[in-house]
Amino acid sequence: MGQLDYHLYQLERKGEIYSVKDRHVLRFFSSTSDTMLERKIALHMRNNVSKEIILRTAVAGEKELTDLQEMVMQSLEGMMRDGILLYEVSGGKALVTLENRETVVRFLKKYSRSFIDSLAYSIFRMLDEL
């Protein structure tokens, strides 16, 4: 662990990686190619609730939310704060849209190998609901 901590510290000091505290876990990301928005998207994609909201909204363009549990609201608030989602209530319906859909779709394509299982799972769940 000491050697790993040392090397992570050196990489972060050189600007090759950066760390983000996510609740009780320190997560590391590459600094070389991602924009700040892509970094925030990657962080939110690690949360199953946030990931499902992002994927469904990316596919549909706009998503009506019918079940606003506390966990969903916490995810929405974090994604709105980070500039990923827009949330509005219109005509009694709660709607979310991606603030920058092109960036999110580009990110999903770029990291599709990482998220391919999650995407397939989400698509199958959406088909079950039809």
Side-chain angles (χ1 to χ4, degrees), residues 52 115-126:
E52 184 138 349
F115 298 114
I116 194 71
D117 291 334
S118 299
L119 180 59
Y121 175 75
S122 294
I123 289 172
F124 291 131
R125 285 191 57 200
M126 284 187 274

Side-chain angles (χ1 to χ4, degrees), residues 8-66:
L8 288 171
Y9 169 76
Q10 292 300 323
L11 288 170
E12 192 166 18
R13 200 185 87 194
K14 291 177 182 178
E16 294 181 27
I17 64 172
Y18 68 97
S19 62
V20 175
K21 183 125 175 128
D22 182 18
R23 296 185 187 164
H24 305 293
V25 177
L26 191 61
R27 301 196 186 280
F28 292 91
F29 298 93
S30 170
S31 298
T32 57
S33 64
D34 297 339
T35 65
M36 186 55 74
L37 180 58
E38 288 177 328
R39 294 173 186 178
K40 291 177 181 177
I41 294 167
L43 185 62
H44 287 285
M45 289 294 286
R46 298 193 58 84
N47 175 291
N48 287 333
V49 173
S50 298
K51 177 174 35 182
E52 184 138 349
I53 293 170
I54 290 171
L55 291 173
R56 286 174 177 247
T57 306
V59 170
E62 177 179 84
K63 180 69 181 147
E64 179 183 352
L65 299 176
T66 55

